[in-house]
Amino acid sequence: MKTNALKGMKDILPKEQRLRDYVQNKILEVYKASGFERISTPILEDSENLDKSEGGDNLNLIFKVLKRGEKLEAALAANPVNEKSLSDMGLRYDLTLPLTRFYAAHRNELQFPFKVIQTDRVYRAERPQKGRSREFVQCDIDILGDKSCNAEVELIDVTARALLSIIEDKKSNEALFFDNFIININDRRVLRNMLESMGFAPDTLDSVCITFDKLDKIGIDGIKTELEEKQFPQNAIKELVDFCSNTTISADGTEFEVDDVVKKCNDKSIGDDLKYIINTVKKISNNDYKVRYCPSLVRGQGYYTGVVFEITNPNFGGAIGGGGRYDKLIGKFIGEDIPAVGFSIGFERICSLLQDTTFEIPNEKRKLALLYDEEIEFSKVIKKAEELRKKYSVSILRKAKKMGPMFGMLEKQDYKDFCINKGDEFILKSLEN
């Protein structure tokens, strides 16, 4: 029997789990106080739902589950045998597809618009490496049934406040550095309009967007080289390069003026919506975070239909949250489009960043071990523990024959104090002396 967890998955020890519980509880506290309601969905979904979900590259990372019993025997006996015939369900790769199926099944029982929380595990058949796991937790909030731009604004506001709540006790966490975050905002429709106006053909825009989305990683020279390798028109490439070069550079990176792009939009209302969202979020940010228009932002999921957003920080690469509008996905189930927009906070990334700093959970009770011997009446130990729990997190443990190794174990498990009995008396001592 193997003791190690499967590759891309991990066991979580008590100290890390306490941190994860703290982060999740802070996020949920903000979400619930903002009127969002929590649901749960199964980890397995029908293969047809997963295959038609427009999940981008994630569709290649689905853990598929074999059919069972007679169905499997029939599939194996068929000619030819293929992957689709052998599997009829798979593990969810995100929480959006399960939410849309849930809404399609229960919409008559739900408030409209529906403001919903999901915090649960998802699964992707990734090649395991740092920052890429096969099992991880997502924390999502979504608004279903609101087509106005206020839905985007509210999601950004609530998610930003959830992040800020995690780091509110800055005095005891001076080493924490991810609080200087940026909300990057774009609209896929505006981006596609801009690229078409530059001379890229409509049927090539997906490929152009995949390259342009790498702007923050490979720079404008890298974008130019990759587009040339794909043999796009030189005049279109030149116009895109010129556009990216004619920007103002500030301390936090490249700042694009939204007006420079939306004026290229053939639908003025789309540009006006994007400006409204950016300007409104800036008004409510109170300078606690920055808001930036990012015309190269695309995000990978194919189901996004309009505004997309992502949270970044100049201190490290990668995102700590992202989302967007997906107005067409629910319609795949019910034949009627329902406006929908969601934001996923980067739970695993945040926990990892906090672990790498000197972050301490604010107001966490000190851990205390209540050590007793067999001679004392156990009811007295229980009563003493209840008294101590007003101030400490108390674990009741029988005294070891050799106390030295026991104290070493307690220190390793982050116990700060212990209380030990001598007869019917209890003596409180610190492990830090």
Side-chain angles (χ1 to χ4, degrees), residues 15-230:
K15 182 177 181 180
E16 182 180 352
Q17 188 61 57
R18 291 201 306 275
L19 173 63
R20 292 169 70 89
D21 288 345
Y22 167 77
V23 172
Q24 179 166 280
N25 289 337
K26 295 296 284 185
I27 292 170
L28 286 175
E29 184 181 332
V30 174
Y31 286 177
K32 290 178 179 178
S34 302
F36 289 75
E37 297 185 284
R38 194 176 184 188
I39 65 164
S40 294
T41 57
I43 65 169
L44 288 168
E45 287 287 341
D46 187 277
S47 290
E48 182 181 357
N49 291 350
L50 293 169
D51 290 341
K52 294 181 179 179
S53 62
E54 297 187 69
D57 291 340
N58 292 325
L59 297 185
N60 300 319
L61 303 175
I62 296 172
F63 279 107
K64 297 188 176 181
V65 179
L66 283 176
K67 292 179 178 178
R68 286 116 352 252
E70 293 180 358
K71 288 184 177 181
L72 178 59
E73 291 175 5
L76 290 170
N79 187 19
V81 177
N82 59 64
E83 184 180 310
K84 287 191 175 181
S85 70
L86 292 175
S87 174
D88 57 1
M89 62 181 70
L91 297 178
R92 61 191 177 197
Y93 62 81
D94 74 0
L95 297 177
T96 303
L97 183 277
L99 171 62
T100 56
R101 180 201 53 74
F102 173 94
Y103 183 82
H106 302 284
R107 60 174 174 159
N108 292 332
E109 306 162 59
L110 303 172
Q111 178 178 313
F112 190 87
F114 184 42
K115 298 183 179 183
V116 58
I117 306 165
Q118 292 185 96
T119 59
D120 224 326
R121 298 187 181 211
V122 299
Y123 302 86
R124 296 179 188 173
E126 296 271 14
R127 178 178 294 176
Q129 55 186 293
K130 183 175 176 58
R132 289 190 179 272
S133 300
R134 290 175 169 173
E135 177 189 57
F136 54 96
V137 171
Q138 286 189 332
C139 290
D140 290 10
I141 48 173
D142 295 75
I143 299 177
L144 311 181
D146 187 348
K147 65 180 181 180
S148 79
C149 299
N150 292 333
E152 279 92 338
V153 172
E154 183 174 4
L155 286 183
I156 293 170
D157 170 60
V158 174
T159 302
R161 286 191 287 107
L163 268 179
L164 292 168
S165 75
I166 298 168
I167 52 181
E168 61 186 355
D169 188 2
K170 295 182 182 178
K171 291 182 180 179
S172 62
N173 293 292
E174 293 178 357
L176 193 61
F177 58 83
F178 82 80
D179 58 329
N180 185 29
F181 60 88
I182 302 167
I183 307 287
N184 300 282
I185 304 174
N186 192 22
D187 190 313
R188 282 186 168 190
R189 297 166 298 176
V190 171
L191 172 59
R192 295 176 77 88
N193 272 215
M194 180 189 78
L195 293 174
E196 279 193 59
S197 73
M198 291 176 173
F200 293 100
D203 61 349
T204 67
L205 294 184
D206 288 342
S207 180
V208 178
C209 287
I210 289 171
T211 298
F212 193 34
D213 194 34
K214 302 175 185 177
L215 180 62
D216 60 332
K217 299 180 181 66
I218 63 177
I220 188 57
D221 290 337
I223 298 295
K224 180 175 182 291
T225 298
E226 189 166 312
L227 291 177
E228 287 175 341
E229 290 173 351
K230 291 183 176 182

Side-chain angles (χ1 to χ4, degrees), residues 158 280 395:
V158 174
T280 305
S395 179

Side-chain angles (χ1 to χ4, degrees), residues 126-373:
E126 296 271 14
R127 178 178 294 176
Q129 55 186 293
K130 183 175 176 58
R132 289 190 179 272
S133 300
R134 290 175 169 173
E135 177 189 57
F136 54 96
V137 171
Q138 286 189 332
C139 290
D140 290 10
I141 48 173
D142 295 75
I143 299 177
L144 311 181
D146 187 348
K147 65 180 181 180
S148 79
C149 299
N150 292 333
E152 279 92 338
V153 172
E154 183 174 4
L155 286 183
I156 293 170
D157 170 60
V158 174
T159 302
R161 286 191 287 107
L163 268 179
L164 292 168
S165 75
I166 298 168
I167 52 181
E168 61 186 355
D169 188 2
K170 295 182 182 178
K171 291 182 180 179
S172 62
N173 293 292
E174 293 178 357
L176 193 61
F177 58 83
F178 82 80
D179 58 329
N180 185 29
F181 60 88
I182 302 167
I183 307 287
N184 300 282
I185 304 174
N186 192 22
D187 190 313
R188 282 186 168 190
R189 297 166 298 176
V190 171
L191 172 59
R192 295 176 77 88
N193 272 215
M194 180 189 78
L195 293 174
E196 279 193 59
S197 73
M198 291 176 173
F200 293 100
D203 61 349
T204 67
L205 294 184
D206 288 342
S207 180
V208 178
C209 287
I210 289 171
T211 298
F212 193 34
D213 194 34
K214 302 175 185 177
L215 180 62
D216 60 332
K217 299 180 181 66
I218 63 177
I220 188 57
D221 290 337
I223 298 295
K224 180 175 182 291
T225 298
E226 189 166 312
L227 291 177
E228 287 175 341
E229 290 173 351
K230 291 183 176 182
Q231 297 183 331
F232 287 114
Q234 282 295 326
N235 62 316
I237 296 173
K238 182 179 184 303
E239 190 163 343
L240 180 58
V241 169
D242 289 344
F243 166 75
C244 292
S245 301
N246 295 328
T247 60
T248 56
I249 305 299
S250 60
D252 60 353
T254 302
E255 294 286 352
F256 290 88
E257 288 294 335
V258 65
D259 286 334
D260 291 343
V261 177
V262 299
K263 66 186 180 183
K264 300 176 181 289
C265 219
N266 55 23
D267 185 340
K268 184 176 181 296
S269 65
I270 296 174
D272 289 343
D273 287 348
L274 178 59
K275 288 194 289 184
Y276 172 82
I277 293 168
I278 292 171
N279 292 333
T280 305
V281 174
K282 284 182 177 180
K283 288 178 183 177
I284 62 178
S285 68
N286 297 319
N287 293 320
D288 291 326
Y289 54 90
K290 294 179 180 178
V291 182
R292 185 171 67 182
Y293 170 54
C294 184
S296 64
L297 180 62
V298 178
R299 295 195 57 78
Q301 284 80 352
Y303 51 66
Y304 288 133
T305 58
V307 174
V308 289
F309 24 78
E310 196 167 77
I311 305 175
T312 58
N313 185 292
N315 295 315
F316 50 82
I320 51 174
R325 182 166 283 278
Y326 52 99
D327 287 346
K328 302 291 184 181
L329 196 51
I330 298 174
K332 291 178 178 290
F333 292 98
I334 62 175
E336 171 192 350
D337 288 340
I338 301 291
V341 59
F343 208 144
S344 180
I345 203 166
F347 177 81
E348 299 288 354
R349 189 77 197 280
I350 292 167
C351 291
S352 177
L353 289 168
L354 293 179
Q355 279 187 286
D356 292 341
T357 70
T358 58
F359 181 81
E360 295 181 4
I361 298 174
N363 305 316
E364 185 180 38
K365 287 184 177 181
R366 288 167 68 97
K367 293 179 68 176
L368 178 143
L370 179 52
L371 309 177
Y372 71 96
D373 56 36

